[in-house]
Amino acid sequence: MGRLTFYGACGTVTGSLYLMEAAGKKILVDCGLYQGVEAVGQERSLPFDPQEIDYVFLTHAHLDHSGRLLELVRGGFRGEILTLQATIELLEIVLRDRLHLDPQAGTEGDLSRLLELCWPFAYHETVEISPYLSFRFQDAGHILGSAHLELWAEGQKFVFSGDIGRWASPIIRDPTPITEADYVVVESTYGGKRHPSWSTAKRQLQQLLRLARSKKVRLFMPSFAIGRTQEILYFLNELVESGKVEPFPVILDSPMALRVTKIYAKHTELYDEEALKRLASGDEIFSFPLLFSTPSVASSRHIDRLQPPYLVIAGSGMVTGGRIVAHLKHHLGDPHTWIVFVGYQGEGTPGRAILERRPVIKLDNHWVANKAKVFRLEAFSAHADHQELIRWLSALQGVKRLFITHGEEPSRVALQREVKLRFGWPSERPQVGRSFAF
Ligand SMILES: [Zn+2]
């Protein structure tokens, strides 16, 4: 007899945390933080005893899947964290950033202990923990090192989708269709929604850069350090080196994104065919003429003295912190400033307020007039849209029950409706605390 309990990402897109009790073990799948408005009321303590947990399966390094590992270790967890090598490397960056922003989350000591508990595995490799418990990671195509988890326990097969990426994403491979499962836990971030294609993304980016260059404006791109920034650099490399966009200064003003890009550059074994082909032709895929980086704060301040046109890529992605805040404090009031959003802007964030063209924006406790011209490139997304979620699910056979998580309620409902029509599987939208016995 086993049990699966849902402790997060139930009707929200953050806070992934599931507990499985099976084969005499207590197992977590992800241990993520609630973020943005969803974080309100998040308790410091975990809803179980960290000392009793034997294993954590980590699907990828994003904070909303990994952030509370610090609390877990702080609370006495000494089991094993099983994941991909690239995820371990990204995790160190992500959690150190969290410690920097929230010193109460843990200490450097907690972080190094945590990293010592991490064990790397490869995609497609089936690993037997005991005769009653085995697992396998498959490529989820979401960010570098992201995985779907197949877990065999108590004679049943569980599949945890983790975050599902998009087909034909730059750099990394497509999500892996999983063909069999008794029970499936699937994300639904973009249930009921559709993304423009990648070719649209590239074309819009090209037009915007050409225009910014010819109008001689300052262009700011708030960007997430993991995945999004590398995709942008990859496209910029292609556009500049193919001559579609004339070179002009592009400044990567994010030490975190710089470190992440180095990890992306190193793990070529995780690339898709197109990226490998470019690499084989001798191209450095994240580098092109007039790309600069500004690791130190002093070098970042020099950007202000540059003569436009230029593009600054800086975090944080929703303008809630990081170097983008200082840039926009200076330049948001200037109509010659352009801002391009390439990621989701959460409710209540300065990014969302700028996108909604509110006349004044609160940045770093100062009110700043918003006269900038604002653009949004919607095609950049690390998540499967509705059709892609259905595509991933349609490979599955033998599903006894589907649990729809990691989506706001309308998205979960939209996905559930189509699953019912198309596959007829029993499905549910679990609430926090829902426990399922098997
Ligand atoms: Zn993610």
Side-chain angles (χ1 to χ4, degrees), residues 205-220 236 239-240 243-250 289-290 307-311 336 338 375:
L205 184 65
Q206 175 183 331
Q207 284 167 347
L208 182 67
L209 293 171
R210 279 183 175 176
L211 212 58
R213 193 179 178 282
S214 68
K215 301 258 183 212
K216 294 192 172 34
V217 297
R218 294 187 173 89
L219 178 58
F220 293 99
L236 286 172
L239 292 171
V240 171
K244 287 183 179 150
V245 170
E246 289 280 308
F248 73 106
V250 174
L290 296 188
Q307 203 63 329
Y310 58 79
L311 163 65
H336 292 102
W338 290 10
F375 302 84

Side-chain angles (χ1 to χ4, degrees), residues 186-204:
V186 69
E187 69 121 320
S188 58
T189 313
Y190 285 99
K193 307 219 172 69
R194 200 184 172 98
H195 298 317
S197 68
W198 282 109
S199 56
T200 304
K202 216 185 314 184
R203 199 185 60 245
Q204 288 175 336

Side-chain angles (χ1 to χ4, degrees), residues 355-407:
L355 192 60
E356 288 172 350
R357 291 155 177 96
R358 304 238 182 106
V360 283
I361 309 290
K362 198 173 191 181
L363 290 172
D364 196 15
N365 283 320
H366 295 270
W367 289 100
V368 185
N370 177 17
K371 297 196 176 138
K373 200 170 160 108
V374 177
F375 302 84
R376 179 190 200 176
L377 302 184
E378 274 183 280
F380 286 93
S381 175
H383 283 272
D385 69 5
H386 185 85
Q387 291 312 320
E388 290 167 317
L389 288 170
I390 293 295
R391 178 177 176 173
W392 187 83
L393 287 167
S394 66
L396 284 159
Q397 299 283 330
V399 177
K400 292 181 193 156
R401 182 164 285 264
L402 180 75
F403 300 91
I404 302 171
T405 61
H406 201 290

Side-chain angles (χ1 to χ4, degrees), residues 212-253:
R213 193 179 178 282
S214 68
K215 301 258 183 212
K216 294 192 172 34
V217 297
R218 294 187 173 89
L219 178 58
F220 293 99
M221 182 186 281
S223 182
F224 299 98
I226 304 178
R228 194 63 37 83
T229 297
Q230 291 73 36
E231 287 166 5
I232 295 285
L233 291 176
Y234 184 85
F235 280 157
L236 286 172
N237 165 289
E238 184 185 332
L239 292 171
V240 171
E241 294 190 348
S242 67
K244 287 183 179 150
V245 170
E246 289 280 308
F248 73 106
V250 174
I251 301 125
L252 180 58
D253 189 27

